[in-house]
Amino acid sequence: DFEEFIANNGYIPDLEKQLDLSFNDTQQVNDLEKKSLNSNADHLKDLIIGSNIKTGMSVKLTINTLGFPDSFKVERGINSKQDRVSMTYLKHGLIVHVINEKKRIDLIEILPQFKGKFSKGVKLGDSVGTLVKKFGTPKSIDSSSVNYPRKGIYFKIQDNILFSARNISNN
């Protein structure tokens, strides 16, 4: 462990030397970022809401699946067990919300830039007609939303096209 290393060796290890990376070398950092983005480009299309990313997943599995979030936001609850943590994944087009006590996803916001799909092959940009054919008759529908509360999925629509969504845990 890190503290034990310092106690035994009397110094903080030089991580740049160990990784053979200079954080001041802009080209090396840019190359690493590019490699990371390229290796995940196909992964963005492989995300399936309700399958490999879903409510009820543990935080650890979520981070293993999506990577480290772009940002964290903590909303304080009545007590620390009810704090809510929001993890934003802009490149994936997702915001994942976790209640601290459960340490499991209880809400997924699917943003307009989401490139993956939902179970049954539905994706943002599909028509409401396609959604109804694949998901069945919704519990409610109006000019701005199509709702499937039993499935925990609430789609936002614009001009009869799926624009964004929320997937809420039913637990």
Side-chain angles (χ1 to χ4, degrees):
D1 118 292
F2 191 69
E3 290 176 6
E4 188 177 312
F5 180 91
I6 295 170
N8 291 340
N9 296 291
Y11 68 93
I12 298 173
D14 188 338
L15 296 177
E16 288 184 12
K17 286 181 183 172
Q18 288 182 10
L19 297 174
D20 194 29
L21 171 70
S22 169
F23 293 109
N24 294 322
D25 184 339
T26 306
Q27 185 59 47
Q28 274 189 319
V29 172
N30 287 341
D31 289 346
L32 279 176
E33 287 176 352
K34 196 180 295 178
K35 181 179 176 185
S36 173
L37 288 173
N38 289 338
S39 65
N40 287 331
D42 291 334
H43 181 65
L44 298 178
K45 294 178 183 173
D46 294 336
L47 291 175
I48 302 171
I49 303 298
S51 180
N52 61 357
I53 185 74
K54 59 187 172 183
T55 58
M57 280 178 64
S58 70
V59 172
K60 183 177 181 178
L61 182 56
T62 302
I63 291 173
N64 284 344
T65 302
L66 299 174
F68 196 76
D70 298 310
S71 66
F72 285 96
K73 179 182 174 188
V74 177
E75 294 176 35
R76 296 291 176 200
I78 296 170
N79 59 52
S80 64
K81 289 183 177 183
Q82 294 179 339
D83 289 350
R84 175 173 284 199
V85 177
S86 300
M87 301 183 298
T88 301
Y89 293 91
L90 292 176
K91 70 181 175 187
H92 294 299
L94 298 171
I95 302 174
V96 177
H97 302 275
V98 178
I99 294 178
N100 194 27
E101 179 180 29
K102 294 179 184 177
K103 294 187 174 91
R104 300 202 170 274
I105 297 175
D106 65 325
L107 168 68
I108 303 169
E109 288 184 65
I110 299 96
L111 306 174
Q113 65 266 32
F114 178 67
K115 300 294 183 222
K117 54 187 161 188
F118 298 83
S119 61
K120 301 187 183 189
V122 173
K123 59 188 180 307
L124 295 181
D126 284 349
S127 69
V128 172
T130 299
L131 173 66
V132 172
K133 282 179 192 172
K134 293 183 179 184
F135 262 67
T137 305
K139 177 73 173 173
S140 64
I141 186 170
D142 60 35
S143 63
S144 64
S145 65
V146 180
N147 303 307
Y148 294 89
R150 284 194 155 166
K151 296 176 183 178
I153 301 178
Y154 302 83
F155 291 95
K156 289 291 181 189
I157 59 174
Q158 191 172 27
D159 299 324
N160 209 28
I161 301 295
L162 303 181
F163 177 69
S164 66
R166 288 181 154 217
N167 183 206
I168 299 172
S169 176
N170 286 330
N171 299 335

